[in-house]
Amino acid sequence: MANKSANLYVRIEPDIKEQAESILAALGIPASNAINIFYKQIILQKGLPFEVKLPAAKPLAMGALSKEELDKEIEKGYADMQAGRTEPAEKVFADIRKEYGF
């Protein structure tokens, strides 16, 4: 008769483990079940069940910009503001607090 379970030993950053297990606990899913789900999805998808790629664009490091590049970014921001493509800071921070439960 085949074993009904197998052991999996992994090393993971403690903070990553803690954050993930906190979310799983809120969902009522033990970590072992989540890993089992992940492995089943790998089998079904015949690969990772999500894209693994570098982000398309890196966030700007304002300190690394030249004066001309900084001026251009400020002008883009001003144009967005003039065109109404911005949101008040209070709303942005409220959305962040809501998203992360603060």
Side-chain angles (χ1 to χ4, degrees):
M1 186 181 333
N3 286 337
K4 292 194 177 229
S5 67
N7 292 327
L8 174 68
Y9 299 99
V10 298
R11 292 187 181 272
I12 189 165
E13 296 172 36
D15 188 50
I16 300 294
K17 179 180 181 285
E18 183 180 315
Q19 288 180 51
E21 287 181 354
S22 174
I23 293 167
L24 290 171
L27 294 170
I29 302 172
S32 59
N33 288 16
I35 293 168
N36 199 35
I37 291 167
F38 177 61
Y39 271 42
K40 286 181 180 182
Q41 285 299 308
I42 290 172
I43 293 165
L44 288 170
Q45 302 292 324
K46 298 192 181 348
L48 292 176
F50 47 81
E51 287 189 58
V52 179
K53 61 182 185 178
L54 296 174
K58 295 189 293 187
L60 287 177
M62 299 305 273
L65 298 178
S66 68
K67 181 184 179 324
E68 292 77 21
E69 291 169 324
L70 180 59
D71 287 344
K72 185 177 178 183
E73 290 301 316
I74 291 171
E75 287 173 13
K76 286 185 345 189
Y78 184 73
D80 284 343
M81 185 185 72
Q82 294 287 38
R85 293 186 298 259
T86 60
E87 294 187 39
E90 295 83 12
K91 181 183 181 314
V92 173
F93 286 117
D95 290 347
I96 291 169
R97 285 186 200 97
K98 183 179 175 184
E99 174 82 20
Y100 293 98
F102 296 131

